[in-house]
């Protein structure tokens, strides 16, 4: 068998004819993200392995909460390594999409014209959530609402028994205080009162006093019935910090069904099995 004298493929340091522009510097509008949050678009210059952002100071201003913004601006200025090898090519790609950097850096996905900025957490400020726990004292004036309903049964036949009941619910309120009155009138029992009590809901506590109806969300020791007394219970109606009572959801991708353990400060705080 005779072998060809010349190789089929030739290694070259320069691009082939007609492809010179692809290796040169290009300009395009790119979308810039930080923490998967869109912060702006800029006309960036880039070439293979390199990208330059025209206004890093504006990006740092949009990010905010940095303890040394001048250093971050300086680090993101000039030509930056685009870290194209860290771009996630598919949704199933692993060990990609995250840049470990001593100060700051970027990952540039040229196929989507997307730049993700990464900043070492040493330079990120943390602060307490600036939200009050309860609503401020109410300045609402007097209000009154009256509901009526009726139930009628019977027949037009001679000698049949006809019956009716008229139900009413009266509610009056002023600031955090309210008055509830539930009553009915029927042709057999005439006038009767089911509930008549005052209520105050303020800073997480609800106070009720008067003719109350027992309730326990399925934990009643006796059947619901009216009784005269005083009731104090917790209430979330005046809370403003409920959005901060839970944590940020964490997405975990498992190749097979497995157990996930959550540790904090060396302590196991949760363990559960999850499907793939």
């Amino acid at each position: 068998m005779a072998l060809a004298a010349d190789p089929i493929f030739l290694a070259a340091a320069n691009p082939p004819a007609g492809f010179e522009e692809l290796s040169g510097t290009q300009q395009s509008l790119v979308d810039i993200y930080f923490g998967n949050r869109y912060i702006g678009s800029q006309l960036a210059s880039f070439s293979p392995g390199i990208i330059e952002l025209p206004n890093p100071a504006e990006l740092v201003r949009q990010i905010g909460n940095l303890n040394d913004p001048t250093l971050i601006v300086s680090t993101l200025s000039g030509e930056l390594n685009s870290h194209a090898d860290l771009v996630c090519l598919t949704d199933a790609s692993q060990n990609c999409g995250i840049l470990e950097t001593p100060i700051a850096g970027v990952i540039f996905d040229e196929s989507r014209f997307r730049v993700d900025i990464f900043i070492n957490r040493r330079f990120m400020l943390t602060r307490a959530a600036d939200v009050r726990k309860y609503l401020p004292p109410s300045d609402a004036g007097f209000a009154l609402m009256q509901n009526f309903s009726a139930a009628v049964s019977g027949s037009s036949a001679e000698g049949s028994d006809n019956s009716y009941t008229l139900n009413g619910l009266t509610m009056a309120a002023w600031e955090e205080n309210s008055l509830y009155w539930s009553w009915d009138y029927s042709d057999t029992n005439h006038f009767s009162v089911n509930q008549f009590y005052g209520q105050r809901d303020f800073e997480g506590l609800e106070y009720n006093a008067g003719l109350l109806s027992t309730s326990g969300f399925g934990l009643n020791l006796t059947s619901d019935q009216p009784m005269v007394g005083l009731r104090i219970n917790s209430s979330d109606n005046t809370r403003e910090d409920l959005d901060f009572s839970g944590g940020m959801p964490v997405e975990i991708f498992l190749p097979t069904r497995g157990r996930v353990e959550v540790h904090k400060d060396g302590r196991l705080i949760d363990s559960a099995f999850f499907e793939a």
Side-chain angles (χ1 to χ4, degrees):
M1 178 182 296
L3 298 176
D6 298 329
I8 299 176
F9 301 102
L10 295 176
N14 298 322
F19 291 85
E20 296 84 356
E21 293 184 0
L22 296 180
S23 62
T25 301
Q26 304 181 59
Q27 280 192 334
S28 179
L29 193 67
V30 297
D31 296 329
I32 303 172
Y33 291 77
F34 176 74
N36 209 32
R37 175 175 61 91
Y38 174 77
I39 59 174
S41 297
Q42 292 189 5
L43 187 64
S45 301
F46 57 91
S47 57
I50 298 295
I51 185 171
E52 184 174 355
L53 302 173
N55 191 357
E58 174 63 20
L59 300 176
V60 170
R61 187 186 67 82
Q62 292 289 342
I63 294 172
N65 295 326
L66 299 172
N67 57 25
D68 195 347
T70 303
L71 177 61
I72 304 302
V73 171
S74 175
T75 305
L76 295 177
S77 300
E79 294 184 346
L80 306 174
N81 188 338
S82 63
H83 296 99
D85 56 314
L86 295 179
V87 174
C88 295
L89 301 179
T90 65
D91 293 338
S93 300
Q94 298 181 354
N95 300 323
C96 63
I98 298 178
L99 175 64
E100 298 290 343
T101 174
I103 301 178
V106 301
I107 296 179
F108 175 44
D109 186 350
E110 188 175 346
S111 63
R112 294 190 297 165
F113 297 99
R114 169 170 173 156
V115 175
D116 285 274
I117 297 178
F118 296 85
I119 298 176
N120 192 295
R121 62 181 181 180
R122 296 186 296 117
F123 301 97
M124 301 297 298
L125 293 175
T126 58
R127 60 182 179 86
D130 186 16
V131 59
R132 66 178 70 188
K133 186 174 183 179
Y134 299 107
L135 290 169
S138 174
D139 58 356
F142 179 78
L144 176 67
M145 183 174 69
Q146 177 66 60
N147 292 337
F148 290 105
S149 62
V152 180
S153 65
S155 173
S156 60
E158 183 178 354
S160 62
D161 293 331
N162 299 324
S163 62
Y164 66 90
T165 300
L166 178 65
N167 301 291
L169 176 61
T170 304
M171 292 177 287
W174 181 71
E175 295 184 351
E176 295 90 2
N177 312 295
S178 54
L179 180 68
Y180 292 83
W181 182 23
S182 175
W183 53 269
D184 62 71
Y185 182 86
S186 66
D187 57 337
T188 55
N189 295 328
H190 301 293
F191 187 78
S192 63
V193 176
N194 301 316
Q195 297 185 87
F196 185 68
Y197 65 93
Q199 175 180 294
R200 176 176 173 82
D201 195 337
F202 185 67
E203 292 192 348
L205 289 177
E206 180 182 304
Y207 307 87
N208 301 275
L211 180 62
L212 305 169
S213 178
T214 60
S215 61
F217 301 101
L219 300 177
N220 297 350
L221 299 178
T222 61
S223 59
D224 292 350
Q225 55 184 329
M227 61 176 60
V228 177
L230 172 67
R231 180 171 60 204
I232 302 176
N233 56 272
S234 60
S235 171
D236 290 336
N237 294 332
T238 57
R239 293 284 294 271
E240 281 199 313
D241 61 346
L242 294 181
D243 290 341
F244 295 86
S245 61
M248 179 179 295
V250 178
E251 295 184 357
I252 301 176
F253 299 92
L254 302 175
T256 60
R257 184 176 187 270
R259 185 178 68 179
V260 176
E261 296 181 350
V262 181
H263 294 259
K264 183 179 186 296
D265 298 332
R267 296 184 299 109
L268 177 66
I269 60 176
D270 187 44
S271 177
F273 278 93
F274 292 91
E275 300 297 331

